[in-house]
Amino acid sequence: MQQNPSPSEPIVSLRDVQKSFGPLRVLDGVSFAVERGEVLALIGRSGSGKSTALRCIDRFEKVDGGEIVVCGHRVDRPDVDLRALRQDVGIVFQSYNLFPHLTIEQNITLAPCAVKGMAASQARDLARKVLAQVGLEEKLHAYPEQLSGGQQQRAAIARSLAMQPKVMLFDEVTSALDPELTAEVLKVIEQLAADGMTMVMVTHEMGFAKGIADRIVFMHRGKVHETGPASILTSPTTPELMQFVGTGNLKS
Amino acid sequence: MGGHLNTNHLMFLGQGALWTIGLSMIALIGGGIVGFVIALARISPLKSVRLASAVYVQLVQGTPLLVILFLGYFGLAAIGLQVSPLAAAGASLTLYVAAYLGEIWRGCIESVPKPQWEAAEGLALSRTQRMMKVILPQAIRIATPPTVGFMVQIIKNTSLASVVGFVELMRSGQIVNNSLFEPFAIYAIIAVVYFAMCYPLSLFSQRLERRMGRGRSNLAPA
């Protein structure tokens, strides 16, 4: 992948980010950074603010305070160029959100053609390429409803990849899937990590986070409570993470 | 006075029935075009546009169609504009239908799940692209059964155009009755003709709705 030669600049950085929904303070001074090629896992209980933090990166939520810089875009500013930001950032959701009226191929080619002005034939080649990456070449002409949940999620990842983002966000992408389908999606994400994709993922799969993440950010009550390499999952220093890892293991 | 119902009378009623269909088409097409604009205006990012369209909808929905028809015909005449019964009825029905279809379609657009908007946004599509390529194709599917159902209302409401002298089915029935004076028989015929126009549409709408119900369970993931 060709990118500007500024290895010291993080791809994503949050500094003292504040966000409230009404009286509820969801993010209370959150700071972390993601370097190029790094895989960061955001973990924590429901309501800890991890999904909100992720959504702020792509500006699906506006922050109340603090600074967010993503691929050079000042996301916290009201004048941020959203379409430029979202060409640099790919996001995959828990509920896949494929477009049900379009085939898998059309789902994938829609944005490259409409946003980047790519020629239709070139976009179709690209669709084949990204579907091969997620192991779904044979589903090119299928409609989303004809696919299993795991296949739909892999197609959604392919759709995102087709925009050649500089960073990928994953928002609990396996939470709606049973263990078998979860495994096939996680395998795809592992391959992306091996290929050097920068990724931020909110996940409940502790085993997966341990295996793939370069860094873990454990959120608790809207704050970054503990952060460090994946090894903090096996030897947590705070009682909250200790307790969370205990319950997290029970879940899977 | 007197005499019996003959072929000429039936021909006259038939012509009236054709005008009922014609006026319904005018109302559907005109109201559909204006209604589409209303639906988009109701969900506009601009507050003033949302407000203006909401006021329009409330005004029209809060006014009897009969009053709108009188305003269209006599009101315009009072300020010196002579309009034909067809123009007055067509314009009044267009405004009326637009307010209802606009609201029906707004509901359909908004019932496309919000994550679909977000997914389209996440792919950097512009607002217009999101609307045209992602939301509207799904909204049209949802909108088809209620729109066909509403056509029944349009057909029945065209009967009110008789009050401004437009000779559609209802008015032609009145005219035939003036010469035969057999109100029960004549209005029974009229009722049957309206029913014959509306009932197939009702059935069609119900069938569309059932088919959609089956389709949707497959559409919504987890």
Side-chain angles (χ1 to χ4, degrees):
Chain A
M1 217 174 287
Q2 289 150 3
Q3 273 155 355
N4 325 334
S6 51
S8 55
E9 190 90 343
I11 295 249
V12 175
S13 92
L14 283 76
R15 234 190 53 212
D16 195 26
V17 169
Q18 312 277 341
K19 170 77 190 171
S20 298
F21 291 123
L24 186 69
R25 176 159 285 201
V26 194
L27 299 181
D28 188 5
V30 170
S31 304
F32 60 80
V34 188
E35 305 296 331
R36 179 158 299 144
E38 195 177 26
V39 177
L40 184 134
L42 279 170
I43 62 168
R45 282 195 190 84
S46 308
S48 62
K50 57 192 191 306
S51 266
T52 306
L54 188 87
R55 288 169 59 83
C56 285
I57 295 173
D58 210 8
R59 208 164 185 270
F60 281 115
E61 309 289 351
K62 286 181 206 160
V63 298
D64 302 329
E67 186 187 285
I68 302 183
V69 185
V70 179
C71 304
H73 306 284
R74 279 295 300 268
V75 180
D76 52 296
R77 293 207 178 137
D79 63 346
V80 60
D81 182 346
L82 284 179
R83 293 191 70 195
L85 168 72
R86 284 161 181 169
Q87 287 188 53
D88 287 339
V89 181
I91 185 162
V92 183
F93 304 90
Q94 179 180 343
S95 51
Y96 337 131
N97 303 347
L98 291 171
F99 305 133
H101 60 296
L102 300 178
T103 63
I104 299 303
E105 181 182 55
Q106 291 166 333
N107 263 276
I108 295 172
T109 56
L110 174 62
C113 290
V115 177
K116 294 184 168 175
M118 189 180 280
S121 61
Q122 202 188 340
R124 279 197 297 272
D125 290 341
L126 176 64
R128 246 175 226 107
K129 196 186 121 213
V130 289
L131 274 179
Q133 254 179 292
V134 300
L136 278 180
E137 281 156 298
E138 77 282 5
K139 299 295 183 189
L140 204 58
H141 301 296
Y143 280 89
E145 61 180 356
Q146 298 168 312
L147 269 55
S148 75
Q151 289 171 331
Q152 287 193 47
Q153 193 58 291
R154 280 148 63 198
I157 293 172
R159 180 174 70 176
S160 214
L161 283 175
M163 287 297 279
Q164 288 160 322
K166 295 183 178 141
V167 52
M168 293 271 287
L169 310 178
F170 294 90
D171 191 2
E172 300 191 30
V173 293
T174 59
S175 296
L177 301 172
D178 62 39
E180 197 181 335
L181 300 181
T182 295
E184 68 182 48
V185 172
L186 295 185
K187 223 175 86 188
V188 166
I189 299 176
E190 263 166 25
Q191 188 54 49
L192 285 178
D195 294 345
M197 176 61 83
T198 310
M199 299 195 276
V200 183
M201 55 178 67
V202 170
T203 184
H204 287 132
E205 302 287 334
M206 286 308 121
F208 177 65
K210 209 180 297 178
I212 192 179
D214 299 307
R215 213 143 44 81
I216 305 281
V217 168
F218 171 63
M219 291 194 59
H220 184 65
R221 294 188 178 163
K223 289 181 157 69
V224 174
H225 198 75
E226 189 170 342
T227 178
S231 59
I232 65 167
L233 291 176
T234 34
S235 47
T237 57
T238 61
E240 287 80 8
L241 180 55
M242 216 172 287
Q243 197 192 356
F244 177 74
V245 173
T247 56
N249 283 343
L250 278 180
K251 194 221 159 202
S252 57
Chain B
M1 283 280 181
H4 292 286
L5 194 67
N6 61 33
T7 328
N8 283 337
H9 294 133
L10 289 178
M11 292 277 286
F12 189 66
L13 289 179
Q15 206 177 11
L18 286 180
W19 272 114
T20 286
I21 293 171
L23 187 57
S24 299
M25 295 306 291
I26 291 170
L28 179 70
I29 293 166
I33 293 168
V34 181
F36 182 65
V37 175
I38 296 287
L40 293 182
R42 291 279 282 118
I43 54 167
S44 163
L46 298 174
K47 198 177 173 191
S48 54
V49 174
R50 282 203 306 274
L51 197 69
S53 53
V55 167
Y56 172 82
V57 168
Q58 288 307 320
L59 275 179
V60 173
Q61 292 198 348
T63 311
L65 176 57
L66 194 56
V67 175
I68 298 175
L69 279 160
F70 277 143
L71 285 176
Y73 190 61
F74 300 112
L76 289 178
I79 59 169
L81 280 172
Q82 281 300 335
V83 288
S84 69
L86 174 61
S92 305
L93 277 162
T94 290
L95 295 181
Y96 174 81
V97 168
Y100 284 89
L101 279 186
E103 278 300 271
I104 292 172
W105 290 347
R106 175 188 62 84
C108 294
I109 292 172
E110 287 182 337
S111 70
V112 175
K114 194 162 163 274
Q116 290 284 314
W117 283 96
E118 287 197 339
E121 242 183 297
L123 289 167
L125 298 174
S126 69
R127 187 180 159 83
T128 312
Q129 289 169 340
R130 297 198 291 268
M131 191 57 109
M132 300 306 292
K133 292 175 188 292
V134 176
I135 304 303
L136 283 183
Q138 299 183 59
I140 287 170
R141 256 183 68 102
I142 303 170
T144 306
T147 304
V148 173
F150 187 69
M151 280 169 66
V152 173
Q153 303 299 322
I154 298 176
I155 292 173
K156 290 191 293 186
N157 279 330
T158 55
S159 62
L160 289 171
S162 59
V163 299
V164 295
F166 181 71
V167 187
E168 37 65 72
L169 180 58
M170 184 66 194
R171 183 80 190 125
S172 63
Q174 287 169 346
I175 291 169
V176 169
N177 184 49
N178 283 346
S179 72
L180 295 181
F181 204 68
E182 287 201 54
F184 184 74
I186 290 167
Y187 289 122
I189 293 172
I190 302 270
V192 168
V193 177
Y194 274 117
F195 183 79
M197 290 181 195
C198 295
Y199 186 60
L201 279 176
S202 291
L203 278 185
F204 184 46
S205 169
Q206 279 168 23
R207 186 170 308 165
L208 283 173
E209 211 161 312
R210 271 202 305 274
R211 192 183 306 164
M212 270 239 346
R214 276 205 302 277
R216 274 188 76 75
S217 57
N218 295 333
L219 281 184

